[in-house]
Amino acid sequence: MPLDIHLSPLFRIQGADQNDMPGMLALHPPKTAARGREQDRLLVYLALTGNAVITASEYRKFAEDTASVFYQTPRAVTSALRTAADSLNKTLLDRNMNTSSRGQYTLAWLALAAVRESQCIFSLCGPMHAYWFGVQESRHFFEPSISGKGLGSSQSIHIHYAQTDLAANHMLLFCGRLPSAWVTPLADAQPTSYDAMRRRLASLTSEDLNAVLVHTTEGTGTINILRGTLAQKTETQVVEAIPQAQPVDDLPAPPSSDLDLPATGGPEPTPETGAHLVQPSAYSIPPQPGHTGPLPKSSDDPLAHLPHKTQPREFPVSIPRAKPKTNPPDEPLPEIKPAPALREASPQARQTAKAIVNLMQRIRTGSASLGERLRGFLPRLLPSENPEAVSVSASATMGFIAVLIPLIVVTLAVVVYLRYGRNEQYDAYYNEALEMRQQALMLTDPVEQRKAWENVLANVARAEQHRQTEDTANLKKEAESNHDQLLGIYRLQFNPAFGNRLGINVSRMAASENDIYLLNAENGEILRAFPSGSGGFQLDTTFSCKPGVNNNAGAFVDIATLPITNIYGATVLGIDAVGNLVYCKPGSSPQVGLLTAPDTNWARITGIALDGGNLYVLDATSRAAWVYTGKEAAFTDRPYFFFGQQTPTQDVIDFLVSGDEMYLLHADGRLSSCVYSRIDTNQSKCTDPLNRRNPFPAYGDLDPFLAANFTQMLFAAPPDPSILLLDSDGQRVMRFAPRSMELQNQFLPTTGSSNPIPLGPVTATAVSPDHVLYVAVNGQVYFAINMP
């Protein structure tokens, strides 16, 4: 437990800051914790509402009993959180049934946070607010439609699960009823320090407060609570270590005189009981003065559906209590039945394993005892002439037994662990994934839905580290499908184009309807591949398109496929850095051409693009783009300058042209566009940067463009024309609508064993006229034919 946890209660009643907060509790795992709870530190924040009088002792007892149930529940964390909340719900429900004849009731708003190393999983019951503050970001957890109205009013409970990672200098804030003065400051808060955050929250309002601020720092895993009033805490901080948790039966009764708070309604508290109500002005609903009989029915009473003047009915153990067939009207959503859990080991199997371990221990003890007896007995059975031989033989036998027994013990221990230990770890993570799935299906906020499905995938991955089953595969598929839909991700099934890796670095690709052309970055050679009968591609070993072979060209810097109608009959065009053109076609020697240099000459050609029969040549170093009008791919005329008075920066790494509009990709990932004016070339204008729009709200504060490493751009042909940007490191292709540059979707490979693409950056990409997508990774080309 590398993180220390510091808790500061923000507790104010009727304008007076209180020294103690009985609904707050923090615990280390006890020595008797159930399996799976040994590393969980627990934070309990309990806020009681209603009009019944609750003493400070009872208040603490509720929190302590809830914590004890948590530590007595094995396996998944979410199951332990639910069991703990359900135990408190049953306690309050029975209490409310007994006091309903007097018109008194108590409801509980409960937040439980289980911290294991850097992971924090918490549950919210009732309209609780939870905030997480990181170093540069924050999150607000509030889903009243899921967390319900609180505990104590119905047999069924509603829980909002959430998960976050903790690091040093992170903060958590749990609050029952959020003061109006806190709403705006907390929306975009980036606290600089724990003390500053606590003082600011206390000084923002004079209203009653009931909240807990949690701060994590690097340490040894201790838990500390700041005592004293809010005013005192600004001067001195009194830190108290939190003891280990204890079972319910062993919990000492806390002193009842810690708090002496006024109560509204009900019997007058005596000095011995120290009656306590949480924030009477904000939470309590006091009865009318002088009214002693049952309260009239009201739609505002959450317990109005309960019978009055009744006593709880005792049921024999053999008769289970009937569950309601329909949800009460105060529950807006039904619970979703989780997927069936895997069968865990039966008690007989566990008893058998325990018996095996005991038997191994007895065999080990017996073998040692037997060896000692044989060592003294065997020499007496044989002639006494050679007792040394008998001693040596007995020693050898005992040595063999001494080696054999530990091997048997270790083998059986490994078998028992693989049979039971790994299964329990699998069950714990798989059940947590099911709980997260149930919550994700009930959420309505796209951002929270995305985070919930990410939590499902994380827990499934942990479960599959112990065992991969059909259940985890189906749950993973469902989570990925919903997660991808929220983010506009479309998964493509890629296949390798060649049976073996080519062993070259492909820097550029171009594709026609049937063939693909690859540019070898090391020697500048163009390779051709055509479809083979096996569903892949085959290299054309007779295709010749090399620089310096029957031509004066240097290494090619870019390539482009040519239309069928050209005077050279070529299928692909290559260009070097100084304007030498090479036209290549299968079965023939390459033909050469030379572009007429512009008046300013070339600095270095970095790319070409074909559009409308014209050739566009990019000289990024000179911040220039030149246009050659052509006829049947012959470009003999002098070029004209595309830009007007505005020119792009020198960091352009790729570009494409659509009509009179040019799109440019810069080295830092930004886009710019320039429009050519045919009326007055000086009126040609550029927009830099060109804004990209993300229409998917599930991203929230995340910027998918900022994290991408864009290295190439290309144009997808009609009937659905679009601009494609290659994110090399993310192995994804983002598709944008022209002009508006709104993100339409993202193309990624499938996950798991069906994805043949290895890890590594994509060095080149291309798309054919019939929408086949090609990517080059680690000397191999992969293609997907199902690109929409």
Side-chain angles (χ1 to χ4, degrees), residues 434-450:
L434 289 179
E435 292 280 358
M436 295 297 178
R437 170 191 174 273
Q438 180 179 352
Q439 176 178 319
L441 293 173
M442 297 173 65
L443 291 170
T444 57
D445 180 25
V447 176
E448 294 300 325
Q449 286 179 327
R450 170 181 62 83

Side-chain angles (χ1 to χ4, degrees), residues 18 136 247 302 408 423 470 483 500 508 523 696 735 773:
Q18 305 300 316
Q136 295 181 345
I408 295 175
N423 285 349
E470 184 178 355
H483 182 263
N500 299 310
R508 289 284 181 176
N523 58 15
F696 299 98
R735 180 163 68 176
L773 182 63

Side-chain angles (χ1 to χ4, degrees), residues 488-509:
I489 294 175
Y490 192 93
R491 300 281 176 178
L492 300 177
Q493 179 59 59
F494 283 88
N495 297 290
F498 305 100
N500 299 310
R501 293 177 58 249
L502 299 178
I504 63 173
N505 182 15
V506 181
S507 61
R508 289 284 181 176
M509 287 197 298

Side-chain angles (χ1 to χ4, degrees), residues 113-337:
V115 181
R116 179 183 301 178
E117 295 180 351
S118 62
Q119 184 187 52
C120 178
I121 299 177
F122 55 89
S123 62
L124 305 176
C125 298
M128 280 277 191
H129 293 263
Y131 287 86
W132 169 81
F133 304 101
V135 178
Q136 295 181 345
E137 58 178 329
S138 62
R139 291 174 60 185
H140 181 203
F141 303 92
F142 181 62
E143 290 287 344
S145 61
I146 298 177
S147 57
K149 297 182 179 181
L151 304 175
S153 64
S154 173
Q155 291 185 357
S156 60
I157 61 175
H158 293 275
I159 301 180
H160 176 202
Y161 293 103
Q163 178 176 334
T164 186
D165 291 329
L166 296 178
N169 295 323
H170 285 191
M171 297 186 197
L172 286 170
L173 177 66
F174 296 102
C175 182
R177 183 161 298 170
L178 193 68
S180 57
W182 285 9
V183 175
T184 302
L186 290 178
D188 54 354
Q190 293 184 353
T192 57
S193 70
Y194 183 42
D195 292 336
M197 182 68 169
R198 177 170 45 79
R199 289 195 297 266
R200 176 169 174 76
L201 292 176
S203 60
L204 279 174
T205 180
S206 59
E207 299 179 27
D208 289 353
L209 300 179
N210 191 319
V212 175
L213 182 63
V214 182
H215 181 222
T216 56
T217 59
E218 292 183 356
T220 58
T222 61
I223 302 177
N224 303 303
I225 291 183
L226 302 183
R227 300 293 187 185
T229 63
L230 295 176
Q232 292 173 341
K233 290 174 187 174
T234 59
E235 300 175 358
T236 59
Q237 295 182 343
V238 182
V239 180
E240 297 182 359
I242 304 301
Q244 297 285 333
Q246 303 176 19
V248 175
D249 296 338
D250 299 333
L251 287 173
S256 60
S257 60
D258 288 348
L259 294 176
D260 188 10
L261 303 177
T264 58
E268 187 68 23
T270 63
E272 290 76 10
T273 59
H276 175 66
L277 285 175
V278 178
Q279 297 192 32
S281 61
Y283 292 99
S284 300
I285 305 176
Q288 297 297 326
H291 184 82
T292 58
L295 292 178
K297 293 183 180 180
S298 171
S299 58
D300 297 331
D301 185 357
L303 302 176
H305 62 284
L306 296 177
H308 292 269
K309 295 183 179 180
T310 59
Q311 296 296 327
R313 180 180 176 183
E314 298 295 334
F315 288 85
V317 178
S318 61
I319 303 178
R321 297 195 178 193
K323 296 183 179 180
K325 296 182 179 180
T326 59
N327 292 324
D330 60 335
E331 299 181 14
L333 292 176
E335 292 191 359
I336 298 177
K337 185 177 180 181

Side-chain angles (χ1 to χ4, degrees), residues 51 95 98-104 287 291-295 308-309:
N51 57 7
R95 182 189 180 100
N98 291 332
T99 60
S100 61
S101 60
R102 301 192 299 271
Q104 296 180 355
H291 184 82
T292 58
L295 292 178
H308 292 269
K309 295 183 179 180

Side-chain angles (χ1 to χ4, degrees), residues 261-435:
L261 303 177
T264 58
E268 187 68 23
T270 63
E272 290 76 10
T273 59
H276 175 66
L277 285 175
V278 178
Q279 297 192 32
S281 61
Y283 292 99
S284 300
I285 305 176
Q288 297 297 326
H291 184 82
T292 58
L295 292 178
K297 293 183 180 180
S298 171
S299 58
D300 297 331
D301 185 357
L303 302 176
H305 62 284
L306 296 177
H308 292 269
K309 295 183 179 180
T310 59
Q311 296 296 327
R313 180 180 176 183
E314 298 295 334
F315 288 85
V317 178
S318 61
I319 303 178
R321 297 195 178 193
K323 296 183 179 180
K325 296 182 179 180
T326 59
N327 292 324
D330 60 335
E331 299 181 14
L333 292 176
E335 292 191 359
I336 298 177
K337 185 177 180 181
L342 293 179
R343 186 188 67 179
E344 61 180 77
S346 63
Q348 293 81 1
R350 297 182 183 275
Q351 190 66 27
T352 301
K354 184 177 180 181
I356 292 174
V357 174
N358 293 334
L359 179 61
M360 289 189 298
Q361 294 177 349
R362 293 176 182 176
I363 292 175
R364 194 171 186 178
T365 304
S367 64
S369 176
L370 179 62
E372 292 295 332
R373 295 181 181 181
L374 288 176
R375 185 174 300 177
F377 177 71
L378 288 176
R380 300 177 184 177
L381 299 178
L382 299 174
S384 59
E385 288 78 13
N386 193 11
E388 292 81 1
V390 176
S391 177
V392 171
S393 176
S395 300
T397 302
M398 294 304 101
F400 175 74
I401 294 176
V403 173
L404 179 62
I405 294 301
L407 289 177
I408 295 175
V409 172
V410 171
T411 302
L412 291 177
V414 170
V415 170
V416 170
Y417 169 74
L418 293 177
R419 177 64 181 88
Y420 299 106
R422 291 177 63 89
N423 285 349
E424 289 202 2
Q425 292 293 326
Y426 166 88
D427 290 342
Y429 289 122
Y430 179 71
N431 290 333
E432 286 188 23
L434 289 179
E435 292 280 358

